[in-house]
Amino acid sequence: MPFPIINSIASWVLKQRIHQIELFLKYPHEVQEELMMNLIRSTEETVIGQKYDFESIKSYKTFSERIPVSTYEDLEPMIELTRKGAQNVFWNTPIKWFAKSSGTTNAKSKFIPVSNEALEDCHYKGSKDLLCMYLNNNENSDMFLGKSLRLGGSSKIYENNNTYFGDLSAILIENMPIWAEFSSTPSNKISLMSEWETKLTAIINETKAENVTSFAGVPSWMLVLLNRILTETGKENLFDLWPNLEVYFHGGVNFEPYREQYQKILPQNNFKYYEIYNASEGFFAIQDLNYSNDLLLMLDYGIFYEFIPMDTFGTPNQKIIRLADVELFKNYALVITTNSGLWRYMIGDTIRFTSLEPYRIRVSGRTKHHINVFGEELMVENTDRAIAKTCQITKSEVIDYTVAPIFMKVKEKGAHEWMIEFKKQPEDIEAFTKILDETLQSLNSDYEAKRYNNMTLNQLKINVARPNLFYDWLAANNKLGGQHKIPRLSNQRDYLEQLKNMQVEVKK
Protein backbone atom coordinates (compact mmCIF):
# COMPACT_ATOMS: atom_id res chain seq x y z
CA MET A 1 0.00 0.00 0.00
CA PRO A 2 1.52 3.43 -0.99
CA PHE A 3 2.57 5.64 1.89
CA PRO A 4 0.15 8.52 1.05
CA ILE A 5 -2.79 6.12 1.36
CA ILE A 6 -1.46 4.81 4.70
CA ASN A 7 -1.13 8.41 5.88
CA SER A 8 -4.73 9.22 4.93
CA ILE A 9 -6.18 6.05 6.51
CA ALA A 10 -4.20 6.50 9.74
CA SER A 11 -5.29 10.12 10.00
CA TRP A 12 -8.95 9.22 9.46
CA VAL A 13 -8.93 6.38 12.02
CA LEU A 14 -7.13 8.37 14.69
CA LYS A 15 -9.35 11.41 14.31
CA GLN A 16 -12.47 9.35 15.07
CA ARG A 17 -11.23 9.25 18.67
CA ILE A 18 -11.81 13.01 19.01
CA HIS A 19 -15.53 12.42 19.57
CA GLN A 20 -14.85 10.11 22.55
CA ILE A 21 -12.42 12.62 24.02
CA GLU A 22 -15.10 15.29 23.76
CA LEU A 23 -17.34 13.13 25.97
CA PHE A 24 -15.03 13.18 28.99
CA LEU A 25 -14.26 16.85 28.37
CA LYS A 26 -17.97 17.57 28.73
CA TYR A 27 -18.73 15.15 31.60
CA PRO A 28 -15.43 14.67 33.49
CA HIS A 29 -16.85 13.85 36.91
CA GLU A 30 -19.47 11.44 35.61
CA VAL A 31 -16.89 9.60 33.48
CA GLN A 32 -14.55 9.24 36.47
CA GLU A 33 -17.32 8.10 38.84
CA GLU A 34 -18.54 5.46 36.38
CA LEU A 35 -14.97 4.28 35.80
CA MET A 36 -14.38 3.88 39.56
CA MET A 37 -17.51 1.77 39.94
CA ASN A 38 -16.56 -0.40 36.93
CA LEU A 39 -13.15 -1.12 38.47
CA ILE A 40 -14.81 -2.14 41.74
CA ARG A 41 -17.49 -4.31 40.10
CA SER A 42 -14.87 -6.08 37.97
CA THR A 43 -12.80 -7.15 40.96
CA GLU A 44 -15.39 -8.17 43.56
CA GLU A 45 -14.21 -11.81 43.48
CA THR A 46 -10.46 -11.08 43.78
CA VAL A 47 -8.51 -11.46 47.01
CA ILE A 48 -8.48 -7.70 47.57
CA GLY A 49 -12.14 -7.44 46.56
CA GLN A 50 -13.10 -9.98 49.22
CA LYS A 51 -10.86 -8.33 51.81
CA TYR A 52 -12.55 -4.94 51.49
CA ASP A 53 -16.02 -6.25 50.50
CA PHE A 54 -16.10 -4.52 47.13
CA GLU A 55 -19.60 -5.89 46.52
CA SER A 56 -21.06 -3.51 49.11
CA ILE A 57 -19.26 -0.41 47.83
CA LYS A 58 -21.81 1.77 46.05
CA SER A 59 -20.31 5.26 46.30
CA TYR A 60 -17.06 7.21 46.36
CA LYS A 61 -17.61 7.92 50.05
CA THR A 62 -17.54 4.21 50.93
CA PHE A 63 -14.66 3.59 48.51
CA SER A 64 -12.54 6.31 50.13
CA GLU A 65 -13.36 5.28 53.69
CA ARG A 66 -12.82 1.56 53.25
CA ILE A 67 -9.78 1.17 50.98
CA PRO A 68 -6.56 2.61 52.42
CA VAL A 69 -4.13 4.71 50.42
CA SER A 70 -1.17 2.51 49.54
CA THR A 71 2.51 2.67 48.62
CA TYR A 72 4.46 0.07 46.65
CA GLU A 73 5.68 -1.44 49.91
CA ASP A 74 2.05 -1.97 50.97
CA LEU A 75 1.19 -3.79 47.73
CA GLU A 76 4.45 -5.70 47.29
CA PRO A 77 3.34 -8.95 49.02
CA MET A 78 0.36 -9.28 46.65
CA ILE A 79 2.50 -8.36 43.63
CA GLU A 80 5.08 -11.00 44.57
CA LEU A 81 2.32 -13.62 44.84
CA THR A 82 1.27 -12.81 41.28
CA ARG A 83 4.86 -12.86 40.01
CA LYS A 84 5.12 -16.39 41.42
CA GLY A 85 2.05 -17.57 39.53
CA ALA A 86 -0.98 -16.66 41.67
CA GLN A 87 -3.82 -14.87 39.89
CA ASN A 88 -7.05 -13.10 40.81
CA VAL A 89 -5.24 -11.42 43.69
CA PHE A 90 -5.73 -7.71 42.99
CA TRP A 91 -7.04 -7.88 39.42
CA ASN A 92 -9.56 -10.19 37.77
CA THR A 93 -7.67 -11.14 34.59
CA PRO A 94 -4.27 -12.88 34.30
CA ILE A 95 -1.20 -10.67 34.67
CA LYS A 96 2.09 -11.89 33.24
CA TRP A 97 3.90 -8.59 32.54
CA PHE A 98 5.64 -6.46 35.16
CA ALA A 99 7.26 -3.10 34.45
CA LYS A 100 10.53 -3.03 36.37
CA SER A 101 11.50 0.28 37.90
CA SER A 102 14.42 0.92 40.21
CA GLY A 103 12.78 4.22 41.15
CA THR A 104 14.75 7.39 41.69
CA THR A 105 14.49 7.54 45.45
CA ASN A 106 14.97 3.91 46.34
CA ALA A 107 17.57 1.42 45.09
CA LYS A 108 15.09 -1.44 45.51
CA SER A 109 13.48 -2.63 42.28
CA LYS A 110 9.76 -2.23 41.85
CA PHE A 111 7.69 -4.56 39.68
CA ILE A 112 4.54 -2.77 38.56
CA PRO A 113 1.81 -5.11 37.25
CA VAL A 114 0.67 -4.46 33.68
CA SER A 115 -2.60 -6.16 32.72
CA ASN A 116 -3.83 -6.72 29.17
CA GLU A 117 -6.47 -4.06 29.86
CA ALA A 118 -3.76 -1.57 30.85
CA LEU A 119 -1.79 -2.34 27.70
CA GLU A 120 -4.76 -1.89 25.36
CA ASP A 121 -7.02 0.62 27.13
CA CYS A 122 -4.35 2.79 28.71
CA HIS A 123 -0.81 2.65 27.30
CA TYR A 124 -1.61 1.94 23.64
CA LYS A 125 -4.74 4.07 23.78
CA GLY A 126 -2.61 6.94 25.08
CA SER A 127 -0.10 6.50 22.26
CA LYS A 128 -2.88 6.55 19.67
CA ASP A 129 -4.50 9.59 21.31
CA LEU A 130 -1.18 11.43 21.18
CA LEU A 131 -1.08 10.90 17.43
CA CYS A 132 -4.77 11.73 17.17
CA MET A 133 -4.32 15.09 18.87
CA TYR A 134 -1.20 15.91 16.91
CA LEU A 135 -2.86 15.14 13.59
CA ASN A 136 -6.00 17.01 14.60
CA ASN A 137 -3.87 20.09 15.26
CA ASN A 138 -1.65 19.62 12.19
CA GLU A 139 -3.84 18.48 9.31
CA ASN A 140 -1.06 18.80 6.73
CA SER A 141 1.27 16.49 8.65
CA ASP A 142 3.28 13.97 6.64
CA MET A 143 4.52 12.16 9.72
CA PHE A 144 3.30 8.76 8.52
CA LEU A 145 5.29 9.07 5.30
CA GLY A 146 8.37 8.26 7.38
CA LYS A 147 9.29 6.56 10.62
CA SER A 148 9.44 7.45 14.29
CA LEU A 149 12.83 7.12 15.97
CA ARG A 150 12.10 5.61 19.38
CA LEU A 151 14.45 5.16 22.30
CA GLY A 152 13.39 2.62 24.90
CA GLY A 153 14.71 0.16 27.46
CA SER A 154 15.56 -3.54 27.59
CA SER A 155 13.58 -6.69 28.39
CA LYS A 156 14.31 -9.71 30.57
CA ILE A 157 12.34 -12.80 31.53
CA TYR A 158 11.45 -13.70 35.09
CA GLU A 159 12.38 -17.31 34.58
CA ASN A 160 10.65 -19.34 37.28
CA ASN A 161 6.97 -18.88 36.51
CA ASN A 162 6.68 -17.71 32.91
CA THR A 163 6.13 -14.11 33.95
CA TYR A 164 8.08 -11.34 32.28
CA PHE A 165 9.62 -8.09 33.40
CA GLY A 166 11.48 -5.22 31.78
CA ASP A 167 11.29 -1.48 31.30
CA LEU A 168 7.80 -0.32 30.40
CA SER A 169 9.02 0.71 26.95
CA ALA A 170 10.29 -2.83 26.36
CA ILE A 171 6.95 -4.34 27.38
CA LEU A 172 5.16 -2.01 24.98
CA ILE A 173 7.56 -2.89 22.16
CA GLU A 174 7.14 -6.63 22.83
CA ASN A 175 3.35 -6.35 22.62
CA MET A 176 2.85 -3.63 20.03
CA PRO A 177 0.75 -4.31 16.92
CA ILE A 178 2.52 -5.01 13.63
CA TRP A 179 1.52 -1.68 12.10
CA ALA A 180 3.30 0.16 14.89
CA GLU A 181 6.56 -1.70 14.27
CA PHE A 182 6.45 -0.87 10.56
CA SER A 183 6.21 2.83 11.40
CA SER A 184 9.07 2.79 13.94
CA THR A 185 12.85 2.56 13.93
CA PRO A 186 15.10 0.92 15.09
CA SER A 187 13.84 -2.66 14.87
CA ASN A 188 12.48 -4.44 17.92
CA LYS A 189 15.66 -6.51 18.14
CA ILE A 190 17.84 -3.42 18.51
CA SER A 191 15.32 -1.56 20.69
CA LEU A 192 15.46 -4.40 23.22
CA MET A 193 19.25 -4.56 23.50
CA SER A 194 20.33 -4.23 27.12
CA GLU A 195 23.94 -2.96 26.75
CA TRP A 196 23.67 0.80 26.30
CA GLU A 197 26.82 1.60 24.26
CA THR A 198 26.30 -1.32 21.87
CA LYS A 199 22.69 -0.31 21.51
CA LEU A 200 23.56 3.32 20.64
CA THR A 201 25.89 2.18 17.85
CA ALA A 202 23.28 -0.22 16.46
CA ILE A 203 20.56 2.46 16.53
CA ILE A 204 22.77 4.91 14.65
CA ASN A 205 23.73 2.37 12.00
CA GLU A 206 20.11 1.37 11.38
CA THR A 207 18.41 4.76 11.51
CA LYS A 208 20.75 7.14 9.68
CA ALA A 209 19.54 5.94 6.27
CA GLU A 210 15.83 5.99 7.22
CA ASN A 211 13.33 8.76 6.49
CA VAL A 212 12.79 9.76 10.12
CA THR A 213 9.89 12.18 10.61
CA SER A 214 9.49 12.08 14.42
CA PHE A 215 11.27 11.18 17.65
CA ALA A 216 9.93 9.58 20.83
CA GLY A 217 11.84 9.23 24.09
CA VAL A 218 13.14 10.80 27.31
CA PRO A 219 14.83 14.18 26.54
CA SER A 220 18.09 13.55 28.43
CA TRP A 221 18.88 10.21 26.78
CA MET A 222 17.48 11.18 23.37
CA LEU A 223 19.86 14.15 23.39
CA VAL A 224 22.80 11.80 23.96
CA LEU A 225 21.70 9.70 20.98
CA LEU A 226 21.05 12.65 18.65
CA ASN A 227 24.37 14.33 19.44
CA ARG A 228 26.12 11.01 18.81
CA ILE A 229 24.33 10.72 15.45
CA LEU A 230 25.50 14.20 14.43
CA THR A 231 29.07 13.34 15.40
CA GLU A 232 28.99 10.02 13.53
CA THR A 233 27.48 11.49 10.34
CA GLY A 234 29.31 14.82 10.37
CA LYS A 235 26.05 16.74 9.88
CA GLU A 236 25.54 20.27 11.20
CA ASN A 237 21.99 19.66 12.35
CA LEU A 238 19.39 16.91 12.19
CA PHE A 239 17.50 18.38 9.24
CA ASP A 240 20.60 17.81 7.13
CA LEU A 241 20.21 14.10 7.83
CA TRP A 242 16.42 13.86 8.06
CA PRO A 243 14.84 16.79 6.13
CA ASN A 244 11.25 15.68 6.84
CA LEU A 245 11.45 15.86 10.64
CA GLU A 246 8.40 17.57 12.15
CA VAL A 247 7.81 16.59 15.81
CA TYR A 248 9.43 15.24 18.98
CA PHE A 249 7.18 13.37 21.45
CA HIS A 250 8.82 13.51 24.86
CA GLY A 251 8.20 12.79 28.54
CA GLY A 252 9.85 11.43 31.66
CA VAL A 253 11.71 14.58 32.72
CA ASN A 254 11.05 18.31 32.48
CA PHE A 255 11.98 19.50 29.00
CA GLU A 256 12.91 23.09 29.88
CA PRO A 257 16.59 22.49 30.85
CA TYR A 258 17.12 20.82 27.46
CA ARG A 259 15.05 23.09 25.18
CA GLU A 260 17.87 25.34 23.97
CA GLN A 261 20.13 22.38 23.20
CA TYR A 262 17.36 20.81 21.10
CA GLN A 263 16.72 24.07 19.27
CA LYS A 264 20.38 24.17 18.25
CA ILE A 265 20.29 20.76 16.60
CA LEU A 266 16.73 21.30 15.29
CA PRO A 267 16.95 24.91 14.04
CA GLN A 268 13.54 25.34 12.45
CA ASN A 269 10.79 27.39 14.08
CA ASN A 270 8.00 25.14 12.78
CA PHE A 271 9.43 21.99 14.40
CA LYS A 272 7.04 20.89 17.15
CA TYR A 273 7.46 19.41 20.61
CA TYR A 274 4.63 17.36 22.15
CA GLU A 275 4.83 16.30 25.80
CA ILE A 276 3.25 13.27 27.44
CA TYR A 277 2.95 12.19 31.06
CA ASN A 278 3.16 8.44 31.45
CA ALA A 279 4.83 5.99 33.79
CA SER A 280 5.01 2.26 34.49
CA GLU A 281 1.72 2.64 36.37
CA GLY A 282 -0.21 4.21 33.52
CA PHE A 283 -0.62 6.84 30.82
CA PHE A 284 -2.06 9.98 32.39
CA ALA A 285 -1.91 13.15 30.28
CA ILE A 286 -1.12 14.48 26.81
CA GLN A 287 -0.29 17.88 25.37
CA ASP A 288 -3.37 18.54 23.26
CA LEU A 289 -2.40 21.88 21.70
CA ASN A 290 0.53 23.06 19.59
CA TYR A 291 3.14 25.15 21.45
CA SER A 292 1.64 24.48 24.89
CA ASN A 293 3.17 23.53 28.24
CA ASP A 294 -0.10 22.16 29.62
CA LEU A 295 -1.21 18.52 29.47
CA LEU A 296 -4.79 17.33 29.15
CA LEU A 297 -5.64 14.83 31.91
CA MET A 298 -7.05 11.74 30.16
CA LEU A 299 -10.07 10.50 32.09
CA ASP A 300 -11.13 7.32 30.24
CA TYR A 301 -8.00 5.15 30.37
CA GLY A 302 -9.12 2.88 33.21
CA ILE A 303 -7.52 5.12 35.85
CA PHE A 304 -9.46 6.77 38.68
CA TYR A 305 -7.71 9.86 40.06
CA GLU A 306 -7.47 11.26 43.58
CA PHE A 307 -5.25 13.99 44.96
CA ILE A 308 -3.50 14.85 48.23
CA PRO A 309 -2.82 18.59 48.73
CA MET A 310 0.93 18.90 49.36
CA ASP A 311 0.35 21.35 52.20
CA THR A 312 -1.13 18.45 54.21
CA PHE A 313 0.86 15.57 52.66
CA GLY A 314 2.40 13.26 55.25
CA THR A 315 0.83 15.11 58.19
CA PRO A 316 -1.91 13.99 60.61
CA ASN A 317 -4.21 16.39 58.75
CA GLN A 318 -3.56 14.79 55.34
CA LYS A 319 -6.70 14.80 53.22
CA ILE A 320 -7.56 13.15 49.93
CA ILE A 321 -9.88 14.71 47.37
CA ARG A 322 -11.30 13.68 44.02
CA LEU A 323 -11.17 15.53 40.72
CA ALA A 324 -14.28 17.63 41.37
CA ASP A 325 -12.61 19.30 44.38
CA VAL A 326 -9.19 20.31 43.02
CA GLU A 327 -8.09 23.95 42.80
CA LEU A 328 -5.96 25.83 40.32
CA PHE A 329 -2.18 26.07 40.81
CA LYS A 330 -1.99 24.05 44.04
CA ASN A 331 0.52 21.19 44.24
CA TYR A 332 -1.05 17.76 44.70
CA ALA A 333 0.39 14.29 45.23
CA LEU A 334 -1.23 11.96 42.70
CA VAL A 335 -3.18 8.89 43.88
CA ILE A 336 -4.40 6.39 41.27
CA THR A 337 -6.64 3.33 41.07
CA THR A 338 -5.95 1.43 37.86
CA ASN A 339 -7.07 -1.37 35.54
CA SER A 340 -3.95 -3.28 36.58
CA GLY A 341 -5.13 -3.57 40.19
CA LEU A 342 -3.25 -0.72 41.85
CA TRP A 343 -5.74 0.45 44.46
CA ARG A 344 -5.45 4.04 45.75
CA TYR A 345 -1.75 3.93 44.94
CA MET A 346 0.55 6.89 45.59
CA ILE A 347 2.64 7.04 42.46
CA GLY A 348 5.09 9.53 43.97
CA ASP A 349 4.52 12.38 41.50
CA THR A 350 3.20 15.85 42.20
CA ILE A 351 1.09 17.84 39.75
CA ARG A 352 -0.75 21.14 39.65
CA PHE A 353 -3.79 22.14 37.64
CA THR A 354 -3.45 24.98 35.15
CA SER A 355 -7.05 24.68 33.91
CA LEU A 356 -10.27 23.17 35.28
CA GLU A 357 -12.34 23.37 32.08
CA PRO A 358 -10.93 21.12 30.71
CA TYR A 359 -8.63 19.61 33.33
CA ARG A 360 -5.09 20.42 32.29
CA ILE A 361 -2.02 19.84 34.44
CA ARG A 362 1.72 20.27 34.71
CA VAL A 363 3.98 17.80 36.47
CA SER A 364 5.69 19.72 39.27
CA GLY A 365 7.95 17.07 40.80
CA ARG A 366 8.11 14.05 43.08
CA THR A 367 6.81 13.68 46.62
CA LYS A 368 10.27 12.51 47.64
CA HIS A 369 12.13 14.73 45.19
CA HIS A 370 11.76 18.12 46.74
CA ILE A 371 13.68 19.99 49.41
CA ASN A 372 11.79 21.12 52.47
CA VAL A 373 14.47 20.95 55.18
CA PHE A 374 14.02 24.63 56.05
CA GLY A 375 10.37 25.14 55.04
CA GLU A 376 11.33 26.28 51.53
CA GLU A 377 9.16 23.70 49.64
CA LEU A 378 11.46 23.71 46.61
CA MET A 379 10.04 21.59 43.75
CA VAL A 380 11.77 20.17 40.68
CA GLU A 381 9.60 22.40 38.52
CA ASN A 382 11.17 25.42 40.27
CA THR A 383 14.77 24.27 39.79
CA ASP A 384 14.25 23.19 36.16
CA ARG A 385 12.75 26.56 35.23
CA ALA A 386 15.46 28.44 37.15
CA ILE A 387 18.25 26.50 35.43
CA ALA A 388 16.70 27.12 32.00
CA LYS A 389 16.36 30.87 32.60
CA THR A 390 19.83 31.22 34.11
CA CYS A 391 21.40 29.38 31.18
CA GLN A 392 19.59 31.68 28.78
CA ILE A 393 20.87 34.79 30.57
CA THR A 394 24.46 33.54 30.92
CA LYS A 395 24.62 31.84 27.51
CA SER A 396 25.54 28.53 29.11
CA GLU A 397 24.23 24.97 28.76
CA VAL A 398 23.61 22.36 31.46
CA ILE A 399 23.74 18.59 30.94
CA ASP A 400 22.56 17.49 34.40
CA TYR A 401 22.32 18.62 38.00
CA THR A 402 21.32 17.54 41.49
CA VAL A 403 20.67 19.53 44.67
CA ALA A 404 20.91 18.68 48.38
CA PRO A 405 20.70 20.66 51.63
CA ILE A 406 23.64 21.93 53.64
CA PHE A 407 22.31 21.29 57.13
CA MET A 408 22.48 23.93 59.83
CA LYS A 409 25.20 23.70 62.47
CA VAL A 410 25.89 25.72 65.59
CA LYS A 411 26.17 29.36 64.45
CA GLU A 412 25.99 28.25 60.79
CA LYS A 413 22.93 28.74 58.59
CA GLY A 414 21.75 26.24 56.05
CA ALA A 415 21.95 26.42 52.26
CA HIS A 416 21.42 24.38 49.12
CA GLU A 417 24.39 22.72 47.46
CA TRP A 418 24.30 22.01 43.73
CA MET A 419 26.34 19.73 41.52
CA ILE A 420 26.05 20.93 37.91
CA GLU A 421 27.62 19.41 34.81
CA PHE A 422 27.86 21.98 32.03
CA LYS A 423 28.00 21.36 28.32
CA LYS A 424 28.94 25.02 27.94
CA GLN A 425 30.22 26.56 31.16
CA PRO A 426 29.36 30.20 32.03
CA GLU A 427 32.18 32.69 31.85
CA ASP A 428 31.56 33.74 35.45
CA ILE A 429 30.39 30.98 37.79
CA GLU A 430 29.79 33.48 40.61
CA ALA A 431 27.46 35.50 38.41
CA PHE A 432 25.70 32.27 37.37
CA THR A 433 25.27 31.37 41.07
CA LYS A 434 23.79 34.76 41.91
CA ILE A 435 21.37 34.74 38.97
CA LEU A 436 20.25 31.18 39.72
CA ASP A 437 19.63 32.06 43.37
CA GLU A 438 17.65 35.20 42.49
CA THR A 439 15.64 33.33 39.86
CA LEU A 440 14.69 30.65 42.37
CA GLN A 441 13.50 33.36 44.73
CA SER A 442 11.35 34.85 41.98
CA LEU A 443 9.76 31.44 41.29
CA ASN A 444 9.24 30.25 44.87
CA SER A 445 8.02 32.60 47.59
CA ASP A 446 8.88 30.15 50.39
CA TYR A 447 12.48 29.96 49.21
CA GLU A 448 12.52 33.74 48.89
CA ALA A 449 11.30 34.14 52.48
CA LYS A 450 14.01 31.84 53.81
CA ARG A 451 16.66 33.68 51.79
CA TYR A 452 15.54 37.16 52.91
CA ASN A 453 18.59 38.86 54.43
CA ASN A 454 20.14 35.37 54.70
CA MET A 455 17.73 34.88 57.61
CA THR A 456 17.55 31.07 57.37
CA LEU A 457 19.38 30.16 54.17
CA ASN A 458 22.63 31.43 52.76
CA GLN A 459 23.11 31.79 49.01
CA LEU A 460 23.27 28.47 47.22
CA LYS A 461 26.62 26.81 46.53
CA ILE A 462 27.60 25.32 43.15
CA ASN A 463 30.08 22.51 42.46
CA VAL A 464 31.08 22.34 38.79
CA ALA A 465 31.07 18.66 37.84
CA ARG A 466 33.85 17.15 35.75
CA PRO A 467 32.85 15.94 32.26
CA ASN A 468 30.73 12.75 32.27
CA LEU A 469 30.35 12.70 36.07
CA PHE A 470 26.61 12.01 35.98
CA TYR A 471 27.01 9.45 33.18
CA ASP A 472 29.69 7.65 35.22
CA TRP A 473 27.44 7.73 38.31
CA LEU A 474 24.59 6.17 36.34
CA ALA A 475 26.96 3.52 34.92
CA ALA A 476 28.32 2.71 38.39
CA ASN A 477 24.75 2.22 39.62
CA ASN A 478 23.69 0.15 36.58
CA LYS A 479 21.28 2.87 35.46
CA LEU A 480 22.38 3.60 31.89
CA GLY A 481 19.54 3.74 29.38
CA GLY A 482 16.42 5.53 28.33
CA GLN A 483 14.30 4.93 31.44
CA HIS A 484 16.70 6.14 34.14
CA LYS A 485 16.86 9.70 35.45
CA ILE A 486 19.15 11.75 37.65
CA PRO A 487 17.54 12.47 41.05
CA ARG A 488 17.19 16.26 40.95
CA LEU A 489 16.30 17.16 44.55
CA SER A 490 16.71 15.35 47.84
CA ASN A 491 16.23 16.15 51.52
CA GLN A 492 19.33 14.06 52.21
CA ARG A 493 22.91 14.32 50.94
CA ASP A 494 23.41 10.71 49.78
CA TYR A 495 23.38 11.32 46.01
CA LEU A 496 25.45 14.49 46.24
CA GLU A 497 28.11 12.87 48.44
CA GLN A 498 28.40 9.93 46.03
CA LEU A 499 28.94 12.35 43.14
CA LYS A 500 31.46 14.43 45.09
CA ASN A 501 33.41 11.29 45.98
CA MET A 502 33.50 10.20 42.32
CA GLN A 503 34.66 13.67 41.34
CA VAL A 504 37.52 13.59 43.90
CA GLU A 505 38.55 10.02 42.99
CA VAL A 506 39.16 10.93 39.34
CA LYS A 507 41.08 14.09 40.30
CA LYS A 508 43.43 11.99 42.42
Side-chain angles (χ1 to χ4, degrees), residues 241-302:
L241 181 63
W242 297 310
N244 299 314
L245 282 172
E246 57 178 84
V247 61
Y248 172 31
F249 302 109
H250 63 88
V253 298
N254 191 320
F255 188 62
E256 286 310 308
Y258 304 99
R259 186 177 296 277
E260 281 201 26
Q261 294 180 62
Y262 273 92
Q263 289 172 343
K264 285 185 177 180
I265 61 176
L266 293 160
Q268 287 185 8
N269 292 333
N270 62 347
F271 185 81
K272 296 178 179 63
Y273 300 88
Y274 262 62
E275 185 174 353
I276 62 172
Y277 173 30
N278 70 334
S280 300
E281 294 85 351
F283 202 123
F284 309 122
I286 298 171
Q287 178 182 327
D288 63 320
L289 301 170
N290 286 339
Y291 312 111
S292 172
N293 291 321
D294 299 333
L295 308 180
L296 181 68
L297 190 63
M298 306 304 289
L299 303 179
D300 64 349
Y301 285 1

Side-chain angles (χ1 to χ4, degrees), residues 155-315:
S155 184
K156 298 178 182 178
I157 296 175
Y158 181 68
E159 297 173 357
N160 292 340
N161 300 287
N162 197 34
T163 58
Y164 304 86
F165 68 83
D167 295 333
L168 174 67
S169 58
I171 292 173
L172 297 180
I173 289 169
E174 281 278 5
N175 291 278
M176 69 167 49
I178 293 295
W179 66 265
E181 184 176 355
F182 284 145
S183 64
S184 303
T185 188
S187 64
N188 285 2
K189 180 180 178 181
I190 291 175
S191 292
L192 296 175
M193 283 182 175
S194 58
E195 205 287 308
W196 174 246
E197 289 293 339
T198 305
K199 181 176 184 172
L200 273 188
T201 301
I203 291 174
I204 293 168
N205 289 337
E206 183 169 308
T207 60
K208 62 187 180 183
E210 294 279 9
N211 175 28
V212 174
T213 54
S214 65
F215 305 135
V218 176
S220 51
W221 291 106
M222 182 62 78
L223 192 60
V224 172
L225 171 63
L226 297 179
N227 280 324
R228 188 80 65 89
I229 287 173
L230 289 176
T231 300
E232 292 283 331
T233 60
K235 301 295 185 182
E236 288 291 320
N237 65 67
L238 292 166
F239 295 114
D240 291 340
L241 181 63
W242 297 310
N244 299 314
L245 282 172
E246 57 178 84
V247 61
Y248 172 31
F249 302 109
H250 63 88
V253 298
N254 191 320
F255 188 62
E256 286 310 308
Y258 304 99
R259 186 177 296 277
E260 281 201 26
Q261 294 180 62
Y262 273 92
Q263 289 172 343
K264 285 185 177 180
I265 61 176
L266 293 160
Q268 287 185 8
N269 292 333
N270 62 347
F271 185 81
K272 296 178 179 63
Y273 300 88
Y274 262 62
E275 185 174 353
I276 62 172
Y277 173 30
N278 70 334
S280 300
E281 294 85 351
F283 202 123
F284 309 122
I286 298 171
Q287 178 182 327
D288 63 320
L289 301 170
N290 286 339
Y291 312 111
S292 172
N293 291 321
D294 299 333
L295 308 180
L296 181 68
L297 190 63
M298 306 304 289
L299 303 179
D300 64 349
Y301 285 1
I303 299 174
F304 179 72
Y305 295 101
E306 295 174 276
F307 309 89
I308 304 175
M310 283 302 289
D311 55 8
T312 67
F313 181 83
T315 71

Side-chain angles (χ1 to χ4, degrees), residues 59-79:
S59 67
Y60 172 73
K61 184 175 185 294
T62 310
F63 170 85
S64 62
E65 290 173 348
R66 188 174 299 172
I67 305 172
V69 172
S70 60
T71 63
Y72 181 80
E73 287 70 25
D74 297 325
L75 300 181
E76 183 184 26
M78 289 192 295
I79 290 173

Side-chain angles (χ1 to χ4, degrees), residues 196 220-221 224 258 387 398-404 417-423 462-481 484-489 495-500 502-503 506:
W196 174 246
S220 51
W221 291 106
V224 172
Y258 304 99
I387 277 283
V398 165
I399 295 174
D400 262 314
Y401 74 87
T402 193
V403 191
E417 185 173 3
W418 292 59
M419 179 71 76
I420 303 178
E421 183 179 341
F422 291 96
K423 181 179 181 182
I462 289 179
N463 301 287
V464 177
R466 64 168 173 81
N468 297 317
L469 177 64
F470 285 95
Y471 188 93
D472 292 344
W473 181 84
L474 288 166
N477 288 277
N478 196 29
K479 291 177 180 288
L480 288 179
H484 298 295
K485 294 164 274 189
I486 295 295
R488 295 297 197 205
L489 307 181
Y495 302 125
L496 184 66
E497 292 298 339
Q498 290 174 30
L499 289 161
K500 290 177 77 173
M502 290 183 72
Q503 177 127 314
V506 169

